[in-house]
Amino acid sequence: MAVATRRLAALTAADPEVAEILEAELQRQRQTLELIPSENIASPAVLEAVGSWMTNKYAEGTPGRRYYGGCEQMDRVERLCQERATALFGAEHANVQPHCGSTANMAAYAAFCRPGDTILGMDLSHGGHLSHGASVSFSGQVYRAVTYGVRRDTELLDYDEIHEKAMAERPVVLMVGASAYPRTYDFAHLRAIADEAGARLIVDMAHFAGLVAGGAHPSPVPHADVVTLTTHKTLRGPWGGMILCRQEHAAAIDKAVFPGHQGGPLMHAIAGKAVALRAWGQPEMAGYAQRVVANAQALAQGLRDRGLRLVSGGTDNHLMLVDLRPLGLTGRAVQEALDAIGVTVNRNAIPFDQASKFNPSGIRLGTPAVTSRGMGPAEMTEIADLVSNVIGDLGDTGVAAAAQRRAHALCEAHPLPYA
Ligand SMILES: *Cc1c(COP(=O)(O)O)cnc(C)c1O
């Protein structure tokens, strides 16, 4: 693309190989219906901030207390980012330095726990995140991890089980949040359980932070000791993490981030986070969170109408899980068939899945990215139709070709916000 090449003028001159890869990826994003619920489309303003000379600066420490000279502008941008985060989420303190959601969680645990302490988090196979106690993650290796899940009959969080395990195990931290849970949480109930068990409550809103920012999901901030989040998912910012907490925990959190788990902060990312946070108060993001949820409802309805079973029957947020077992299909086969026609989803375990982790029985779909492209409920019905056609006739080249044309037409009608 001529315009994109001009945008990458210095890169194209210095390194045509990498420039060509960036061009190819932009083309892929332009021509793909992105339904992976953890992905989104950052604004051109965010990209400018992240792609700037802010990457040149070391700024270990916190605003006003740096270990390096020359940090005047670093202090300004980080303070601005903190102020915007606390205002947007109604939090007392924000640490905006975590490089990603996993390091935010690392620091959050470390603020309260010592190695070997017990943490109670959601089972990975029921929708939890690796960093909530999985044995292959630091969280299951540094801490003694106990897990809870969803009920077999309703596929909703089992609050009785959480209560029982919290009282039996007396964890230092009760961790709440998930990567593949299509419903909201009863944060007041979880707070009460944590209090009764003498545990700290950490809520990881990596996935739904943008829905909270836009008022389309209950906020955990009034209930939790600490809230962690990513800035690149529904929040629509640059790749990164963030921690919100009560003032009483501010010093412990800040120390756990630096020097506990990170060195210098990514100041270009912090500039981008500040830009993304501001957008939530601007017309461009007004109603975005509500549209993401309304689109998820429409997509879920469309899939159900076409005979697909959704875990827990539907969704309250931006994502849903399709159970492929009734069709005798696997997640990998469906993911690959959709990939081939320009629709990106990810295979995912569903609760009580008997299949292998590498080829689980579900796919996970979400609406943040297609909503960012300006699509609405009518387009969601169109997506439900073409996706279910492919799933219903897996391997039929005629069906695949027709679905590909329809997916492509949706992308053409709803371009990315990049020149
Ligand atoms: C995505 C996610 C994270 C963080 O992921 P990173 O890739 O480390 O940014 C943390 N918790 C949950 C629940 C997530 O879904």
Side-chain angles (χ1 to χ4, degrees), residues 167-332:
M167 296 312 292
E169 304 286 350
R170 298 285 173 160
V172 177
V173 162
L174 170 58
M175 176 56 116
V176 172
S179 299
Y181 186 60
R183 300 296 180 174
T184 53
Y185 306 79
D186 184 345
F187 294 123
H189 192 173
L190 292 158
R191 173 80 250 171
I193 292 172
D195 284 343
E196 193 183 340
R200 301 291 188 183
L201 178 63
I202 303 180
V203 176
D204 175 351
M205 62 171 184
H207 259 268
F208 55 91
L211 305 185
V212 172
H217 188 289
S219 174
V221 172
H223 305 282
D225 290 286
V226 172
V227 174
T228 60
L229 61 142
T230 59
T231 50
H232 50 276
K233 297 183 182 175
T234 50
L235 198 63
R236 245 193 122 183
W239 198 277
M242 196 178 285
I243 303 177
L244 308 170
C245 67
R246 298 183 177 175
Q247 195 55 46
E248 61 182 297
H249 305 312
I253 287 290
D254 288 352
K255 224 172 92 193
V257 173
F258 172 84
H261 291 81
Q262 293 186 174
L266 309 175
M267 294 311 301
H268 55 303
I270 289 176
K273 290 171 190 177
V275 173
L277 291 168
R278 183 176 191 271
W280 284 94
Q282 303 293 309
E284 67 176 290
M285 293 300 279
Y288 171 72
Q290 285 74 16
R291 289 196 298 279
V292 167
V293 173
N295 279 346
Q297 297 284 333
L299 184 58
Q301 185 65 46
L303 294 170
R304 274 194 308 260
D305 288 347
R306 288 158 183 80
L308 294 173
R309 192 188 90 81
L310 302 184
V311 170
S312 83
T315 178
D316 301 322
N317 58 22
H318 61 297
L319 68 83
M320 63 211 71
L321 283 169
V322 179
D323 181 2
L324 298 166
R325 291 175 306 185
L327 303 167
L329 299 173
T330 66
R332 186 198 290 263

Side-chain angles (χ1 to χ4, degrees), residues 32 67 72 102 143 151-152 161 179 230 245 302 308 313 333 383 390 401:
T32 302
Y67 292 83
E72 297 80 7
S102 297
Y143 304 112
R151 287 172 58 105
R152 197 181 275 273
E161 183 196 8
S179 299
T230 59
C245 67
L308 294 173
I383 292 173
V390 170

